[in-house]
Amino acid sequence: MGKEAKGAVVSQLMIDARGVTKSFGTTLALDHVDLQVQAGTVLGLLGPNGAGKTTLVRILTTLLKADSGVAKVAGYDVESDAASLRSMIGLAGQFAAVDEMLTGRENLELVGLLYHLEKPERKRRAEEVLQRLGLEDAADRQVKTYSGGMRRRLDLGASLVGRPAVLILDEPTTGLDPATRIDLWKFIEMLVADGATLLLTTQYLEEADRLADRIVVIDHGHVIAEGTAGELKDQMGADVIEVVVRDPDDLDRVSPLVADLGHGTPVVDRSRNLFTMPADGRVRAVVEAASRLDAAGIEIEDIGMRRPSLDDVFLRLTGHTAEDDDVAGSPGTPGALRRSSR
Ligand SMILES: Nc1ncnc2c1ncn2[C@@H]1O[C@H](COP(=O)(O)OP(=O)(O)OP(=O)(O)O)[C@@H](O)[C@H]1O
Ligand SMILES: [Mg+2]
């Protein structure tokens, strides 16, 4: 079977990884990871720092060899068909990989050269990408004069010059200001509307919630949950009771006082003096919790009931491990997951 045909036959499953395993020395970065992405859909890959996201991205984009397992992208095996595959995918890395000394336009034309495009075509595609990313005004300035957001856009643009059917973006909006992030989301939505298949790693849950059709959560190299954002939220139960205490020293006293009002594991987010717990019963549970905490002399900054968010899901899934890891500088911040400003 010819390679073109091969790509077409499996067009339904654009990314198909089975049992992918990778160690670095004694670190097991990926442990039998399975991950499938249907054509024309967006998969959000979520996980705290060190979960294995970039490692998986590097394997899927042929930059790194797995120790075992099989991975196909657009029907091409990442090892045996690596050369053909490289022309099919667009990769934008976690760290911008553009040349500072060149202009934005020159960077994009250089990418076209790597794709062996003829000069007129290189120019045409660079122009197109500059327009789509709103970089026309800065096109002929050296990249070293660009802002962080402009660099990100250019980096993403570089991955689009080859018009890839599969786009793999590793934390495309990390470090961007909220306005630029929203611009990029719109752009990504446009690409998907055009039929692109997208795998996106992110530490921003809002980003996954907004862009991803399906979400896979990994932690310590293991897939620990998957589903649509709605399915993941449903796992939390009906509602979440939320208490913000004034004095952080009171946080650990909350759970014993109110645990019987909820069902499921309570989660404490020390960075926000926040206690959350899946619970039913709506107003009654909130009123009861408030009166118990008050009776115990715990000052409440805020208390309420709300629908579960992806944050709750993530804290629940990875919170304990993050506290075990306890990365320096963020004691007890569950999940070590970033939140974009809201
Ligand atoms: N080249 C390498 N050599 C040694 N260890 C590595 C290497 N690359 C990754 N690791 C380790 O593998 C694990 C997974 O790392 P990876 O970069 O895939 O995580 P990540 O989910 O992308 O994290 P982040 O959110 O911080 O980008 C980590 O423990 C990391 O230290
Ligand atoms: Mg990474």
Side-chain angles (χ1 to χ4, degrees):
M1 195 193 293
K3 290 204 165 141
E4 292 72 14
K6 230 168 160 183
V9 168
V10 265
S11 63
Q12 281 314 99
L13 218 49
M14 278 303 235
I15 299 179
D16 187 10
R18 311 225 175 216
V20 171
T21 299
K22 177 74 190 179
S23 297
F24 297 103
T26 54
T27 305
L28 185 53
L30 295 174
D31 188 7
H32 294 90
V33 168
D34 290 337
L35 180 141
Q36 280 83 38
V37 188
Q38 296 287 329
T41 69
V42 180
L43 181 96
L45 183 61
L46 291 182
N49 292 125
K53 303 179 297 293
T54 298
T55 303
L56 185 60
V57 162
R58 291 177 67 209
I59 289 170
L60 293 175
T61 51
T62 78
L63 299 174
L64 183 71
K65 273 193 176 185
D67 297 335
S68 59
V70 180
K72 288 184 177 186
V73 176
Y76 296 103
D77 186 280
V78 293
E79 278 190 35
S80 55
D81 302 325
S84 317
L85 176 54
R86 282 189 201 117
S87 65
M88 295 285 299
I89 51 179
L91 166 72
Q94 187 170 3
F95 306 102
V98 290
D99 188 328
E100 300 267 304
M101 301 307 286
L102 300 180
T103 67
R105 187 189 306 278
E106 286 165 347
N107 266 289
L108 295 176
E109 290 181 4
L110 190 63
V111 175
L113 190 63
L114 300 177
Y115 277 101
H116 309 293
L117 300 175
E118 298 294 331
K119 192 167 181 186
E121 184 63 11
R122 294 204 292 273
K123 289 191 169 303
R124 228 177 47 72
R125 292 210 191 172
E127 184 60 36
E128 179 189 87
V129 168
L130 288 165
Q131 271 177 21
R132 290 185 94 173
L133 289 174
L135 287 171
E136 302 111 301
D137 292 346
D140 299 307
R141 265 170 36 204
Q142 279 183 310
V143 170
K144 64 181 182 189
T145 70
Y146 282 22
S147 69
M150 290 161 79
R151 277 164 209 249
R152 274 273 161 204
R153 277 186 277 168
L154 185 65
D155 189 49
L156 182 58
S159 68
L160 301 175
V161 169
R163 302 224 183 108
V166 183
L167 206 55
I168 297 182
L169 306 177
D170 194 8
E171 299 196 23
T173 65
T174 293
L176 295 185
D177 63 72
T180 310
R181 179 172 305 129
I182 289 167
D183 278 351
L184 263 184
W185 288 349
K186 286 183 185 152
F187 180 69
I188 289 170
E189 283 167 341
M190 210 164 78
L191 295 173
V192 175
D194 283 353
T197 303
L198 184 70
L199 187 153
L200 166 98
T201 82
T202 184
Q203 300 203 26
Y204 298 112
L205 296 173
E206 274 177 276
E207 183 162 294
D209 214 349
R210 170 160 175 174
L211 296 177
D213 298 301
R214 278 181 59 248
I215 290 170
V216 167
V217 184
I218 63 170
D219 193 17
H220 295 298
H222 291 270
V223 173
I224 54 172
E226 61 182 301
T228 63
E231 285 164 358
L232 293 174
K233 289 174 193 171
D234 286 347
Q235 291 176 6
M236 289 292 297
D239 285 297
V240 174
I241 189 165
E242 190 170 75
V243 181
V244 179
V245 296
R246 195 168 294 268
D247 180 355
D249 291 341
D250 284 337
L251 263 180
D252 292 326
R253 297 172 58 208
V254 176
S255 185
L257 289 166
V258 303
D260 64 296
L261 299 173
H263 49 77
T265 322
V267 171
V268 166
D269 179 350
R270 293 182 194 284
S271 66
R272 296 190 289 170
N273 283 0
L274 173 69
F275 169 92
T276 55
M277 177 178 71
D280 289 320
R282 308 217 144 248
V283 178
R284 255 196 58 234
V286 176
V287 171
E288 178 63 24
S291 92
R292 287 186 197 176
L293 296 174
D294 189 51
I298 295 175
E299 222 180 318
I300 299 167
E301 180 110 4
D302 196 9
I303 186 165
M305 202 81 159
R306 58 170 172 72
R307 294 289 304 149
S309 67
L310 265 189
D311 289 75
D312 299 314
V313 176
F314 197 91
L315 289 173
R316 175 105 167 264
L317 288 169
T318 67
H320 62 288
T321 53
E323 286 199 60
D324 295 345
D325 293 349
D326 220 347
V327 183
S330 57
T333 303
L337 207 79
R338 291 175 210 159
R339 278 178 189 80
S340 47
S341 54
R342 36 174 85 156

